[in-house]
């Protein structure tokens, strides 16, 4: 799949338009929501402190345990439940990456399950695994096992990255591994470092079914109408 195989509106329908900078203001969030509506993207991804906020026709996505994932599972669960009660449609939670590196997969499973049980079955739950860090500090099998355990615990998506880890963001290889590791019912969200249409198209071809973008306009402008 190449850029020429994809149309702008089809790619926009896969995009979580993202604003997660620590210094972001409510005015910034409102501007992001307005831009999301203009671009016709699927969702707006914000920090939980921005809630409650009206995202209009776009779904509301909120991060949990962000960005380190080192929060206690019960804290993540409470944060996720509060976000849903405040209007979030989707939750993007960060796992304990250290537990994954040490192959403590049961702990990853329990972490995800605790959040899933807190938000119920109807909420879309995306599980951020920091794929670049796992590939750097562990190996491909570890990344695959983490994703498989997340799926069994109730993940709706497995997601590559927070975009804040020094190891980096999404890669084509990570998406390929993640896609192969989870059932078809589970999506793969690629995020972190996606700045142009060509890379976005490569990630979609590799199996990404959602894209997390902070520079959505620049990426979408690379696709034909």
């Amino acid at each position: 799949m190449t850029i020429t195989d994809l149309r702008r509106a089809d790619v926009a329908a896969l995009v979580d338009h993202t604003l997660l900078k620590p210094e972001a203001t409510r005015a910034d969030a409102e501007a992001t929501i307005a831009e999301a509506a203009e671009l016709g993207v699927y969702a707006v991804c914000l920090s939980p402190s921005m809630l409650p906020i009206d995202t209009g026709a776009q779904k509301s996505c909120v991060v949990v345990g962000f960005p380190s994932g080192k929060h206690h599972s019960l804290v993540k669960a409470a944060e996720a439940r509060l976000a849903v009660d405040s209007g979030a449609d989707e939750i993007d939670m960060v796992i304990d990456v250290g537990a994954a590196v040490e192959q403590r997969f049961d702990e990853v499973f329990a972490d995800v399950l605790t959040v899933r049980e807190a938000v119920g079955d109807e909420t879309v739950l995306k599980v951020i695994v920091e794929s670049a860090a796992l590939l750097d500090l562990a190996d491909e099998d570890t990344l695959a096992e983490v994703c498989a355990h997340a799926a069994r615990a109730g993940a709706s998506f497995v997601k590559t990255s927070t975009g804040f880890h020094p190891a980096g963001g999404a890669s084509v290889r990570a998406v390929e591994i993640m896609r192969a590791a989870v059932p078809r019912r589970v999506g793969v969200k690629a995020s972190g470092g996606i700045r142009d249409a060509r890379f976005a198209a490569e990630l979609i071809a590799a199996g990404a079914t959602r894209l997390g973008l902070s520079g959505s306009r620049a990426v979408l402008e690379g696709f034909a109408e």
Side-chain angles (χ1 to χ4, degrees), residues 17-212:
H17 189 44
T18 303
L19 175 69
L20 297 172
K21 294 179 179 179
E23 68 272 20
T25 64
R26 184 156 291 268
D28 294 330
E30 296 288 357
T32 298
I33 292 167
E35 186 176 36
E38 179 188 348
L39 296 172
V41 300
Y42 183 78
V44 179
C45 187
L46 301 169
S47 299
S49 61
M50 295 296 181
L51 295 175
I53 195 166
D54 183 3
T55 57
Q58 279 65 45
K59 296 291 185 180
S60 170
C61 170
V62 167
V63 294
V64 162
F66 197 87
S68 73
K70 287 296 187 182
H71 313 64
H72 193 287
S73 295
L74 293 177
V75 174
K76 294 178 189 178
E79 186 177 29
R81 182 69 251 172
L82 178 59
V84 171
D85 289 345
S86 300
D89 300 300
E90 303 188 353
I91 298 295
D92 287 24
M93 68 165 287
V94 189
I95 64 164
D96 181 339
V97 181
V101 169
E102 292 184 335
Q103 300 187 352
R104 302 198 313 269
F105 301 126
D106 287 349
E107 293 182 23
V108 174
F109 177 91
D111 195 33
V112 176
L113 182 62
T114 301
V115 176
R116 167 52 77 198
E117 291 179 339
V119 299
D121 295 334
E122 300 303 314
T123 301
V124 171
L125 176 61
K126 309 192 202 84
V127 177
I128 305 171
V129 301
E130 291 292 17
S131 57
L134 293 183
L135 292 177
D136 183 41
L137 300 171
D139 52 33
E140 293 187 356
D141 289 343
T142 298
L143 173 58
E145 279 294 325
V146 166
C147 291
H149 278 75
R152 287 195 286 272
S156 310
F157 286 76
V158 287
K159 176 179 172 181
T160 61
S161 322
T162 60
F164 285 74
H165 198 286
S171 69
V172 169
R173 183 58 186 150
V175 169
E176 291 172 344
I177 295 165
M178 294 165 71
R179 178 67 276 165
V182 298
R184 298 306 301 181
R185 62 177 173 76
V186 177
V188 177
K189 179 176 173 180
S191 63
I194 307 169
R195 298 184 178 89
D196 59 60
R198 185 173 302 279
F199 188 32
E202 290 173 352
L203 292 166
I204 293 169
T209 54
R210 193 81 71 90
L211 300 174

